[in-house]
Amino acid sequence: MSAADASQKADLEPRKGSPSPRIDESEFKRRFLNQFQDPAYGPLEAELSKVAAAAWDAYDHSRKSPRTRKAGAEFADPDYELAIDWLAAREAIRVAQQRHDDPDGPARFLLINGSSRSEHTCPGEVSKSYRMVELARNALSQDPQVEVELLDLSRVASEYGRQIHPCKACFSTSAALCHWPCSCYPNYSLGQIHDWMNDIYPMWVAAHGILIVTPVNWYQTSSPLKLMIDRLVCADGGNPDPTSTHGKDAKEAKELEMQGWDYPRHLKDRLFSVVVHGDTEGAENVRRSVSDWLKSMDLVPAGPLAEVERYIGYWEAYATNHVSYEKDQAMQEEVRNAAQTLYDAVVARRQGKQVTAGSNLKQPRQK
C-alpha cells in the first residue's frame, strides 16, 4: 500500500470517542415497565415481567430489524438481508412516484400544518396554523381535478403511536450512509418504533405542490415540523440502496462516497408555498429558513405571493389570538393567494406553459 493510499484509508476511518449509551438489565427493565403505570396493568404483572425479559433480550442482542429478507437482484448485494419495514416504505415511495408522474392524474397538493397545538390534548384549542391550512384546502378544492392531502403534524402531540424520531445525522458521516427512505427506524431493540416518516415520505413524493404553514416557536419552526425537516435529509442526496453500504457500515459508506457520489435529488422540481405567522418576532427568519431549505433540495418557489411572513395580534394577549386572526381578513386573503399561486404554478408546470405564477389570481378557475 502506498503512502497516499494509507493516508486516505486513515482519513476515512470513522472517528470514535463518545461515551456508550448502553444500560444494564435492571435499568432497562425499570424504564421498559415504567410505561405500565395504570393500575389496570396490575393483574398482568407476571405477564409483563415475561415481556420485559423478551424486550431485554432484543436490546441485549441489538436486534434492530428482526424481520428481513434477501434484497434480490435489483440491489448491489442481492444476498444482503433487508428489513421488511424498509422494503415496504420503498415500495410506497415507488407507487407515489408513479402517481406523481402520471400525466392523466389529478394535480396533487400536500398541505402541512406545522403547529403542535390542538384541542385534542393539553392546549384545548385548535391552532391558527390549522385554520389557515383549512383556508388553503378550501381554495384548492374548488377544482374537482385536484387532489389535496393534509399532513397535520399536531398529531405528533395528540395521537397515540404518532412519532417522528430525530435524525441521527448519518449524512454527516457520509451521504452514502443516509438511505432513501431512511433506514434508521424502526429500531425495535431500542424501542424506537411508530415512526411516522415512512408514511410521510410518499406524501411528499406524490405531490406536485407543497404548502407549509408554521407558527414561530422561539425564533424557529415548530418542533414537529423541524423533526420532519431533519428526517427529509435523505430525500436530498440519500442512497437508495442500503446493500451498497451493507446497512450502516460507516467506513464502507465513506469509501463509496469518495468514489464519486451523484447526490440524487428525490424531490426535485416540486413547487412549494410557505406561510409563516408569529405574534412578536422571528417570522422573517423562519420563512427564509424554510424557503431556503426547500430550494436547497431543488424544489421551486411557486412565486412571490406564495411566500408569506406575517404577524397576527402583534404583542397582543395570547388568550385572544384567535379573535385577532378572525379580524385579520387581509392575512386570511394572503393565505388564499398563497394557495392560488401554488395552484397556478402547478397547473402551468403540468401543461408545459411558461406563465407567471399567480398572474390570474382574480380569474375563475377552469372547471
Side-chain angles (χ1 to χ4, degrees), residues 54-55 57-59 61-70 81-86 183-193:
D57 185 72
Y59 172 82
H61 291 90
S62 300
R63 290 197 293 274
K64 173 183 180 287
S65 303
R67 298 184 184 276
T68 63
R69 72 162 175 80
K70 290 190 183 300
E81 292 288 331
L82 280 175
I84 298 296
D85 298 287
W86 186 87
S183 65
C184 294
Y185 304 101
N187 186 321
Y188 291 97
S189 68
L190 294 179
Q192 295 170 340
I193 57 173

Side-chain angles (χ1 to χ4, degrees), residues 16 143 303 325:
K16 310 286 185 180
D143 185 344
Y325 168 71

